[in-house]
Amino acid sequence: MAHPLAVRPPLPGPAIGPRGPRVARLLAAALCGLMLVSACERLPTRPAATRVPLRGVTFVSWSAAGYVAPQAAGSLDALAATGGNLAVIVVTAYQADPAGVLRPGDPRTPTEASVRDCALAAQARGLEVALKPHVDLDGGAWRDAIAPAHPAAWFEAYRDFVLTWATLAQAVGARQFVVGTELAGTLAHADEWRETIRRIRAVYSGELVYAASWDEAARVPFWRELDRVGVDYYFPVTRRREAGRLEMLAGWQPWLVRLERLHRQAGRPLVLTEIGYRSVDGAGMQPSSFSDDEPLDLGEQADLYWAALQATGDVPWIAGLYWWNWPADGAGGPADRDYTPSGKPAARELAAAWARP
């Protein structure tokens, strides 16, 4: 999950893609423009139409045994009830500062046994599994800031970390493994990354993806060594608090152009390895913002879910959407202003869209 980022304009260039979906998007944008002064806010009301193959929800815990705590089973049941077909399990390591080296054995990192049992429990509920390692900084800064003073030492420690989880991913039959998440400050060391990927492939035979932040993805030098291009999608899709569903749908269009260019350059299908919106007013304007000042708005979160599902639903080069997030501890509900859709109208948007043939 990215920290707040400056809003950046879309890259220039013509739209590329199937004529039918493009025309539909342009019509939606034009229709919304005509309706901005009237009743655009909650239209349309039908469930989003989506045929994206991988329908993922990110299952999260930041404690050693959180994935096997008593409430985790019920939370996983509720995740499966959305109609998704993949659970993304996050495993987090920690380091003290951006220039340092991540440390093994942090008490907040989930244990191997808890992640294995969680993966098996997800599979028992009919879900495929992806494992997604993160590295967090003790001070709370975004991991993009990680720029090791001693790159060889950092990558050796990082490989020790991810190879443990890649081996476990192989043991439980995980569909995907994420080799890294939002580590833009390390991209200059492309050869170290290629060696990391090589070693992961030696122990894991499934699909490999790197989860790039939305403003990092165009600079990743090793997409061709992977099976999927991953983008943590926190692009702004609205410019005002009163935006409605069709306006949100129109707001996706320049970003889809940018994402398709990335897909074509990398020559790989694309996965939105994180996508999410807080249930607060104005969430579509700054999806990565953690501000506590915004008022609760469950309806806006649901509308943003609808627009994302609708915008990506017929895009053949998008292989998956992984929603951020679903807490193992059962957090959520109608008073919650964080990202989870659990217990909120946004979860009903997921279930309605994913239930459609």
Side-chain angles (χ1 to χ4, degrees):
M1 169 61 210
H3 282 219
L5 300 173
V7 175
R8 303 183 180 192
L11 294 177
I16 307 170
R19 178 175 175 80
R22 184 187 176 209
V23 169
R25 294 179 192 127
L26 293 174
L27 288 173
L31 177 61
C32 191
L34 292 172
M35 298 178 70
L36 286 179
V37 296
S38 57
C40 186
E41 273 59 40
R42 298 297 178 192
L43 293 174
T45 57
R46 287 177 57 82
T50 180
R51 292 186 292 275
V52 172
L54 293 179
R55 303 172 178 188
V57 182
T58 307
F59 201 50
V60 296
S61 175
W62 291 274
S63 66
Y67 286 129
V68 291
Q71 61 269 38
S75 187
L76 198 52
D77 286 338
L79 185 159
T82 64
N85 58 19
L86 184 140
V88 183
I89 303 173
V90 169
V91 181
T92 305
Y94 299 87
Q95 66 183 70
D97 59 76
V101 175
L102 64 88
R103 58 180 177 270
D106 189 283
R108 294 167 289 180
T109 300
T111 65
E112 291 180 56
S114 71
V115 174
R116 181 190 63 243
D117 290 352
C118 179
L120 296 175
Q123 290 166 338
R125 289 162 171 79
L127 298 166
E128 294 193 274
V129 168
L131 293 190
K132 186 169 185 268
H134 284 193
V135 181
D136 283 353
L137 292 162
D138 288 343
W142 180 34
R143 64 185 65 92
D144 168 81
I146 293 173
H150 303 285
W154 188 90
F155 273 95
E156 198 57 41
Y158 183 75
R159 284 193 281 263
D160 287 345
F161 169 58
V162 295
L163 286 171
T164 295
W165 300 107
T167 301
L168 189 146
Q170 180 70 20
V172 300
R175 171 162 184 158
Q176 280 186 354
F177 185 79
V178 179
V179 303
T181 301
E182 298 175 346
L183 292 168
T186 70
L187 294 183
H189 309 291
D191 288 342
E192 293 280 13
W193 270 112
R194 292 187 177 98
E195 176 63 12
T196 301
I197 294 165
R198 186 191 68 77
R199 294 197 197 180
I200 292 171
R201 286 210 185 273
V203 300
Y204 175 71
S205 60
E207 295 175 352
L208 294 186
V209 60
Y210 175 81
S213 176
W214 60 277
D215 64 343
E216 168 199 0
R219 296 183 286 116
V220 174
F222 46 82
W223 286 130
R224 294 280 179 170
E225 279 71 50
L226 300 169
D227 303 299
R228 299 288 184 268
V229 170
V231 178
D232 289 357
Y233 183 102
Y234 295 97
F235 296 99
V237 295
T238 63
R239 296 185 178 182
R240 63 189 191 111
R241 294 178 182 275
E242 298 78 17
R245 290 188 168 193
L246 292 179
E247 191 174 350
M248 293 170 181
L249 183 60
W252 266 82
Q253 308 319 310
W255 302 115
L256 286 172
V257 172
R258 180 173 178 165
L259 290 172
E260 183 165 16
R261 186 178 300 117
L262 174 64
H263 151 68
R264 290 180 179 274
Q265 290 171 347
R268 299 288 185 272
L270 191 142
V271 175
L272 301 186
T273 37
E274 285 182 25
I275 178 171
Y277 304 96
R278 295 180 67 209
S279 47
V280 297
D281 190 33
M285 299 169 65
Q286 289 185 297
S288 61
S289 174
F290 287 86
S291 171
D292 292 328
D293 299 330
E294 303 296 347
L296 179 73
D297 193 336
L298 300 173
E300 179 164 354
Q301 184 190 42
D303 291 346
L304 287 161
Y305 269 58
W306 178 90
L309 292 161
Q310 185 71 22
T312 60
D314 64 349
V315 180
W317 42 266
I318 294 182
L321 269 67
Y322 302 164
W323 289 94
W324 182 270
N325 62 43
W326 201 282
D329 65 6
D336 178 82
R337 293 187 299 160
D338 214 326
Y339 285 88
T340 182
S342 178
K344 304 176 188 178
R348 295 197 292 271
E349 290 294 335
L350 283 182
W354 285 349
R356 295 186 69 176

